[in-house]
């Protein structure tokens, strides 16, 4: 069996792992995740680079969760000739029905806008690229096969697949793939997907897995410890209170799926506990609105505290003025609000979507606060803000950064170093091969070292992108 890492190797986006094996005398190939690279031109180039094999030669795809950096190139793959099934959980599929069309729409809108500006001589820099169309999204969505956590399916004779809860976002899964390859012992391959933080808002703790021969584990925060939820709450309360007192706005870029719902539940919970006064919150992302409704739909998959917060809000809805913005005109009207608003909008890394408009109108005023709560990939606008850029280029034009920028790390949907190690301790014997992926180089190497030192595991590899490993 061979694994080739086509993405999320030495970086956090573009999760795509190809597995090649011999089954009943036939060479077979499947992939775990098929995500988009995010963050600037370099990412675009990787998104459009040709695959090292033909799309039609892939047998099936296993998708761990709905985030675009794990799922976002699936429509492109189907358009290129992949016709097999894509396996994921029910909630993941429901989220993708929102996420993928939105992704196609945003790409188109970016290209159209850039072309208009270019014609007017106002566009400077590289042109964006549309990776797929809405029709190609529909084609991809027709290839999905859903399963529940714990259900076992056989995507091909000799391969069994089971999903367990990863506690990261709604529907997120750890993939357990048992493989009976020709002339080899049966192997268990475990792909962590993205692992959630124990005790975090909204999602239950990740399921622990007892054994694996081959383990592919994420390392987004492999070199860091998150602040405690208590510190995170204190910081949020401090920034929101002082900004409201100064009659400013709080703008929170957030992934529409997962992070937006976590922030909402947390803010409502802080009001419930009397730590924040009455709030006016605008959720300005059609996708976040739909994902919030889905979160309500999958209520039974939430952790118990979030269920209680939700019940309280239903009975006390006047305590938070919560509005979901539907159309673009309403969204633009938000730019006129000069203070007292909390605006939650996507995309989470500030690269596209309505958040860019909100940043353009709120960054130049010093009484405003921008609260960054998610991981910002190298090259993204969010990262430049975190790195204290004095000015940024939005829609091809320069905007001064006068608002205060706050990074509040404790809300991460990803486990930190201790959380990841804790999850690894669930394995009763060390896996024969461990591949550390989905982290920037420093993070992956610190975490790999940590696995060797603290767990005593021997064969810990940080794979290089496009390299193939036998195992
Ligand atoms: Zn994720």
């Amino acid at each position: 069996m061979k694994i080739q890492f086509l993405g999320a190797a030495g970086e956090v986006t573009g999760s795509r792992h190809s597995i090649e094996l011999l089954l009943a005398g036939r060479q077979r190939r499947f992939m775990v995740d098929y995500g988009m690279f995010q963050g600037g031109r370099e990412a675009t180039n990787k998104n459009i680079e040709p695959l090292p094999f033909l799309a039609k030669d892939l047998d099936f795809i296993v998708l761990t969760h709905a985030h675009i950096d794990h799922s976002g190139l699936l429509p492109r793959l189907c358009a290129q000739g992949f016709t097999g099934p894509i396996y994921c959980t029910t909630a993941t599929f429901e989220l993708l029905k929102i996420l993928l069309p939105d992704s196609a729409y945003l790409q188109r809108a970016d290209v159209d806008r850039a072309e208009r500006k270019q014609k007017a001589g106002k566009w400077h820099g590289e042109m964006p690229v549309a990776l797929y169309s809405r029709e190609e999204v529909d084609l991809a969505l027709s290839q999905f096969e859903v399963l529940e956590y714990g259900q076992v399916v056989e995507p091909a004779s000799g391969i069994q697949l089971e999903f367990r809860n990863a506690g990261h976002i709604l529907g997120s899964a750890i993939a357990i793939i048992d493989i009976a390859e020709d002339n080899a012992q049966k192997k268990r391959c475990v792909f962590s997907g993205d692992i959630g933080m124990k005790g975090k808002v909204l999602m239950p703790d990740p399921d622990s897995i007892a054994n694996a021969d081959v383990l592919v584990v994420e390392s987004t925060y492999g070199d860091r410890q998150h602040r405690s939820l208590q510190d995170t709450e204190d910081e949020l309360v401090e920034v929101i209170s002082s900004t409201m007192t100064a009659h400013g706005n709080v703008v929170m870029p957030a992934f529409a799926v997962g992070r937006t719902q976590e922030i909402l539940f947390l803010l409502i919970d802080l009001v419930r506990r009397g730590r924040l006064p009455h709030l006016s919150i605008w959720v300005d992302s059609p996708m976040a609105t739909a994902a919030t409704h889905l979160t309500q739909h999958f209520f039974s998959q939430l952790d118990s505290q979030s269920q209680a917060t939700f019940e309280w809000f239903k009975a006390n809805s006047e305590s938070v003025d919560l509005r979901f913005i539907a159309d673009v005109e309403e969204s633009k009207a938000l730019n006129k609000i000069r203070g007292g608003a909390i605006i939650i909008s996507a995309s989470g890394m500030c690269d596209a979507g309505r958040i860019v408009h909100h940043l353009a109108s709120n960054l130049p005023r010093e009484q405003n606060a921008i609260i960054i709560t998610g991981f910002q990939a190298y090259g993204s606008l969010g990262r430049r803000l975190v790195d204290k850029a004095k000015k940024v280029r939005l829609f091809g034009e320069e905007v001064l950064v006068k608002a205060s920028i706050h990074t509040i790390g404790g809300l991460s949907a990803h486990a930190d170093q201790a959380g990841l190690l804790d999850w690894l301790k669930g394995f009763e014997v060390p896996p024969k091969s461990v591949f550390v992926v989905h982290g920037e180089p420093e993070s992956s190497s610190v975490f790999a070292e940590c696995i060797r030192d603290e767990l005593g595991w021997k064969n810990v590899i940080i794979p290089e992108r496009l390299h193939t490993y036998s195992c």
Side-chain angles (χ1 to χ4, degrees), residues 1-5 435 461-464 467-471:
M1 188 183 101
K2 288 177 186 158
I3 305 189
Q4 187 180 21
F5 297 89
F435 294 96
I461 302 143
I462 301 169
E464 273 184 56
H467 282 226
T468 300
Y469 299 80
S470 296
C471 45

Side-chain angles (χ1 to χ4, degrees), residues 18-305:
S18 154
I19 293 90
E20 200 186 345
L21 68 172
L22 199 62
L23 284 178
R26 264 188 66 198
Q27 205 64 36
R28 310 291 292 259
R29 192 190 286 272
F30 69 92
M31 294 204 71
V32 177
D33 291 341
Y34 205 79
M36 189 186 285
F37 293 92
Q38 293 165 308
R41 189 67 203 182
E42 209 184 310
T44 306
N45 292 340
K46 287 184 204 157
N47 284 327
I48 58 178
E49 77 184 7
L51 278 173
F53 46 83
L54 294 173
K56 71 174 180 56
D57 291 342
L58 274 170
D59 291 292
F60 61 94
I61 309 271
V62 174
L63 179 62
T64 60
H65 66 289
H67 275 152
I68 287 294
D69 64 324
H70 291 255
S71 70
L73 287 184
L74 283 166
R76 194 172 168 86
L77 184 70
C78 296
Q80 287 169 340
F82 166 65
T83 55
I86 303 164
Y87 295 93
C88 68
T89 65
T90 312
T92 294
F93 182 53
E94 292 303 319
L95 286 171
L96 284 173
K97 286 198 254 177
I98 305 165
L99 269 163
L100 290 177
D102 190 77
S103 172
Y105 169 79
L106 288 178
Q107 292 169 40
R108 188 71 254 160
D110 281 351
V111 171
D112 290 348
R113 189 185 303 113
E115 283 174 355
R116 278 197 305 275
K117 291 228 169 197
Q118 195 185 40
K119 270 189 198 138
K122 287 184 181 167
W123 185 270
H124 306 283
E126 304 248 28
M127 293 296 283
V129 176
L131 297 164
Y132 44 82
S133 66
R134 174 60 212 253
E135 291 69 30
E136 287 162 346
V137 167
D138 289 339
L139 173 67
L141 289 174
S142 72
Q143 292 176 223
F144 275 83
E145 299 211 3
V146 297
L147 47 155
E148 303 304 326
Y149 294 119
Q151 188 187 340
V152 179
V153 291
E154 206 171 54
S157 174
I159 301 181
Q160 289 191 324
L161 163 70
E162 180 188 346
F163 287 130
R164 303 287 288 279
N165 202 324
H168 169 62
I169 59 163
L170 202 63
S172 65
I174 299 157
I176 301 178
I177 305 170
D178 289 327
I179 295 172
E181 203 184 3
D182 292 0
N183 313 317
Q185 279 195 334
K186 203 170 171 183
K187 279 192 193 77
R188 168 160 288 194
C189 303
V190 173
F191 292 82
S192 74
D194 288 353
I195 292 289
M197 187 71 188
K198 244 186 186 176
K200 76 194 265 289
V201 184
L202 224 55
M203 289 296 124
D205 294 344
D207 285 341
S208 67
I209 310 297
N211 63 304
D213 296 292
V214 177
L215 170 65
V216 178
V217 62
E218 70 126 324
S219 60
T220 315
Y221 290 107
D223 60 344
R224 263 164 279 183
Q225 311 294 353
H226 294 324
R227 266 177 247 186
S228 69
L229 193 56
Q230 184 61 51
D231 291 348
T232 303
E233 286 183 7
D234 292 348
E235 239 181 305
L236 254 185
V237 167
E238 161 62 25
V239 176
I240 292 174
S241 304
S242 59
T243 308
M244 293 300 131
T245 307
H247 304 291
N249 290 328
V250 171
V251 177
M252 302 179 80
F255 292 110
V257 174
R259 181 53 38 82
T260 295
Q261 292 76 38
E262 281 167 17
I263 292 170
L264 279 179
F265 272 74
L266 187 56
L267 292 178
I268 292 169
D269 198 47
L270 288 168
V271 174
R272 174 169 83 108
R273 286 185 275 138
R275 295 208 62 196
L276 282 173
H278 174 275
L279 297 177
S280 295
I281 305 173
W282 278 263
V283 177
D284 184 22
S285 154
M287 190 167 52
T289 303
T292 306
H293 290 140
L294 263 187
T295 306
Q296 289 169 244
H297 178 77
F298 287 98
F299 183 73
S300 64
Q301 293 189 15
L302 308 183
D303 69 358
S304 54
Q305 198 198 328

